[in-house]
C-alpha cells in the first residue's frame, strides 16, 4: 500500500515539475524579449476602491530602491489624507495638494479650473525634471472629464517626458488620448463598498 502511495506521489511530483519547467520556459522567453529600458506610463482606472492606494504602494516601492518621487493630488485637499501625512516629510518625496476638496463641495467652477491648471503647469515642469524618477498624478483623470484640462495637452506632455520617468495616473475614467499612449492599464472593479452599506468613511481606509 505504501509503495502505491510512493509511486503516486512521485508521479504527481514529476507532473508538477514538468508543468513548472514548461511555465519557466515561457516566462524566460518573455523576459528575454523584453529588452527595452525606459519609464512606463501606468493608468489605474475603474469604479472600485483602491486605485490611489495601489499607486502610493508603488511609490513606496520606488522609494525603497532609492528613487526620488513627486505627487500631485488634483482633487483631495479638504482634509489631510493619510498618504499626505505619511509621505509629506519624506526626504525624497515632493508632495503637492493642489485641490480645494471635491468639486461638489467647492461649488466654484472657476476656482476648480484655476487649481487644475496650476497643478498641471507644475506637472509639466516635473515631467522635464531629471531629479524625479517616479511621478504620481492622483485623480488627474477627473480634471479631463470635467473639462478643466485638455487631454491632448496632457498626452503630449506625457509622451515627451524624460525617457526614464515612471508615471502613474489614477481616476475612475481615462481619456482615450491617455489610454492610447499608456504602457499598462489596470482596472479596479467595484463589487461591493462599505459606504453603500451605511458604514461611515474612516481615517486610514478612505482617506
Amino acid at each position: 500500500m505504501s509503495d502505491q502511495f510512493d509511486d503516486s506521489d512521485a508521479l504527481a511530483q514529476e507532473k508538477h515539475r514538468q508543468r513548472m519547467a514548461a511555465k519557466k520556459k515561457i516566462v524566460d522567453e518573455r523576459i528575454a524579449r523584453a529588452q527595452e529600458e525606459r519609464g512606463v506610463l501606468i493608468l489605474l482606472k475603474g469604479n472600485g476602491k483602491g486605485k490611489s492606494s495601489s499607486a502610493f504602494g508603488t511609490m513606496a516601492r520606488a522609494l525603497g530602491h532609492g528613487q526620488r518621487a513627486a505627487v500631485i493630488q488634483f482633487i483631495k485637499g479638504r482634509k489631510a489624507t493619510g498618504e499626505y501625512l505619511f509621505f509629506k516629510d519624506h526626504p525624497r518625496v515632493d508632495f503637492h495638494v493642489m485641490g480645494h476638496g471635491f468639486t461638489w463641495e467647492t461649488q466654484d467652477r472657476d476656482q476648480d479650473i484655476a487649481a487644475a491648471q496650476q497643478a498641471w503647469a507644475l506637472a509639466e515642469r516635473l515631467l522635464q525634471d531629471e531629479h524625479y524618477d517616479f511621478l504620481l498624478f492622483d485623480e488627474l483623470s477627473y480634471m479631463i472629464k470635467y473639462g478643466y484640462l485638455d487631454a491632448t495637452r496632457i498626452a503630449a506632455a506625457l509622451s515627451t517626458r524624460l525617457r526614464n520617468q515612471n508615471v502613474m495616473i489614477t481616476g475612475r475614467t481615462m481619456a482615450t488620448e491617455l489610454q492610447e499612449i499608456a504602457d499598462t492599464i489596470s482596472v479596479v472593479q467595484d463589487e461591493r463598498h462599505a459606504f453603500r452599506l451605511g458604514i461611515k468613511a474612516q481615517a486610514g481606509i478612505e482617506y
Side-chain angles (χ1 to χ4, degrees):
M1 190 66 135
S2 65
D3 289 343
Q4 291 179 342
F5 279 120
D6 289 343
D7 291 343
S8 176
D9 183 62
L11 181 59
Q13 289 286 3
E14 177 58 22
K15 287 183 178 179
H16 175 76
R17 187 196 66 77
Q18 291 176 1
R19 286 197 303 270
M20 293 303 102
K23 180 176 291 188
K24 182 178 186 304
K25 181 180 179 181
I26 294 172
V27 172
D28 288 346
E29 289 173 352
R30 290 175 178 173
I31 292 173
R33 289 196 300 269
Q35 293 300 310
E36 184 178 5
E37 294 187 17
R38 64 171 176 82
V40 295
L41 172 60
I42 302 173
L43 307 181
L44 298 179
K45 68 175 188 174
N47 294 329
K49 172 177 169 50
K51 296 179 291 294
S52 294
S53 302
S54 174
F56 279 102
T58 304
M59 186 176 80
R61 176 177 289 170
L63 295 171
H65 287 282
Q67 297 181 19
R68 184 171 184 84
V71 179
I72 301 178
Q73 288 190 308
F74 281 81
I75 290 184
K76 295 183 176 75
R78 180 172 59 90
K79 62 175 68 176
T81 60
E83 55 266 28
Y84 171 75
L85 295 172
F86 185 80
F87 286 113
K88 66 182 179 69
D89 296 322
H90 194 288
R92 283 183 280 106
V93 176
D94 290 336
F95 208 118
H96 307 274
V97 182
M98 305 303 293
H100 298 281
F102 294 99
T103 54
W104 56 85
E105 291 170 341
T106 66
Q107 300 180 17
D108 187 332
R109 179 178 172 82
D110 290 341
Q111 176 181 278
D112 291 341
I113 292 174
Q117 292 179 347
Q118 179 185 5
W120 184 248
L122 172 60
E124 288 179 326
R125 294 196 296 272
L126 295 175
L127 287 164
Q128 295 299 320
D129 192 328
E130 63 183 8
H131 293 98
Y132 297 98
D133 307 290
F134 180 94
L135 300 177
L136 170 53
F137 300 144
D138 191 29
E139 297 177 328
L140 167 62
S141 71
Y142 295 103
M143 302 300 97
I144 301 173
K145 178 181 178 181
Y146 299 151
Y148 299 168
L149 295 174
D150 179 63
T152 301
R153 174 183 172 181
I154 292 173
L158 292 168
S159 297
T160 57
R161 74 186 188 277
L162 297 176
R163 179 174 175 79
N164 292 321
Q165 273 186 344
N166 294 303
V167 179
M168 295 190 75
I169 298 174
T170 68
R172 288 194 173 191
T173 61
M174 289 290 169
T176 300
E177 291 87 342
L178 270 60
Q179 296 193 71
E180 288 176 345
I181 63 172
D183 298 291
T184 298
I185 301 176
S186 294
V187 181
V188 181
Q189 300 288 0
D190 177 16
E191 294 190 2
R192 182 179 300 169
H193 197 294
F195 182 72
R196 293 197 297 276
L197 300 178
I199 301 173
K200 184 177 180 179
Q202 54 185 298
I205 300 297
E206 274 75 36
Y207 59 89

